[in-house]
Amino acid sequence: MATKKELRQQTIQALKTMSAEQRLAASEQLYQQLWALPEWQAASKIATTISSGFELATQPIIDRAHAEGKVVAVPQTLPHRQMAFHVVDDHTNFERSKFGLLEPVDGEVIAPDQFDLIVVPGLIFAATGERLGFGGGYYDRYLPKTTGFKVSLALPAQQASQPSWTVESFDVRLDAVLAAQL
């Protein structure tokens, strides 16, 4: 069985080698599935990330949420592997974190239990709701404090029918994994 580190590296490599056409088609499928969810339609406060590089682009999610009048918040990493989600709007200021990610440095912070829907990032998602993240443990610490609907969007290289990695007792199961088919 491959280690978590090996699985992460294999998945990142597969995502980086995906053709632009395949990525666009798969991404569009995932966005449409997300927007069709009753939980999306009912949500007024949404948490997501600002994607980078090989990840599924989250800007279309942020744009659609704003167009529908939803409040959107994205994370700022804090010491001790904690996060604070700041509201994103036209006035938000961003800085690059030590991870190279754009993070908000101002704006209202939304409490974890105030989100209706959380788009959870990661590298591999099992159809049964388990996820293998990037290894920092930030979401493992944050998600237990939330009550919102937890959903992940899985490109083809990120999909597993069941976990092929060790699932820890502190791992929070997702409410839904949306999967794109090519």
Side-chain angles (χ1 to χ4, degrees):
M1 180 152 78
T3 66
K4 287 183 180 181
K5 183 178 180 183
E6 291 166 339
L7 287 169
R8 286 183 182 107
Q9 290 170 337
Q10 291 166 8
T11 304
I12 289 169
Q13 191 55 41
L15 288 169
K16 285 181 175 177
T17 58
M18 204 175 169
S19 77
E21 297 79 20
Q22 286 180 321
R23 177 176 288 276
L24 187 64
S27 298
E28 192 54 39
Q29 278 185 42
L30 291 170
Y31 301 141
Q32 294 303 327
Q33 289 179 50
L34 176 64
W35 297 327
L37 285 176
E39 292 83 2
W40 168 274
Q41 293 168 13
S44 61
K45 290 186 179 146
I46 293 175
T48 189
T49 59
I50 295 187
S51 57
S52 66
F54 57 83
E55 294 179 282
L56 175 81
T58 55
Q59 194 60 50
I61 296 169
I62 294 167
D63 293 345
R64 175 74 173 244
H66 281 149
E68 293 182 9
K70 299 177 188 302
V71 174
V72 181
V74 298
Q76 174 188 35
T77 53
L78 303 171
H80 311 294
R81 298 181 188 247
Q82 300 294 315
M83 294 186 294
F85 279 77
H86 293 262
V87 172
V88 177
D89 59 28
D90 296 339
H91 308 290
T92 306
N93 292 300
F94 295 90
E95 287 181 1
R96 289 237 174 250
S97 71
K98 64 182 179 184
F99 304 110
L101 303 172
L102 274 181
E103 295 187 352
V105 293
D106 55 13
E108 178 191 353
V109 172
I110 302 216
D113 64 355
Q114 296 300 302
F115 288 109
D116 302 306
L117 184 135
I118 303 155
V119 179
V120 183
L123 281 169
I124 309 175
F125 308 101
T128 47
E130 297 83 3
R131 68 181 266 282
L132 181 64
F134 292 88
Y138 286 86
Y139 277 84
D140 293 323
R141 288 170 178 79
Y142 192 84
L143 290 176
K145 304 173 194 169
T146 64
T147 53
F149 187 81
K150 294 170 274 307
V151 60
S152 289
L153 285 64
L155 292 165
Q158 297 177 286
Q159 298 169 21
S161 55
Q162 56 191 25
S164 61
W165 60 90
T166 305
V167 177
E168 308 292 347
S169 60
F170 52 77
D171 288 340
V172 174
R173 190 176 289 219
L174 300 165
D175 297 309
V177 175
L178 306 180
Q181 306 304 319
L182 287 182

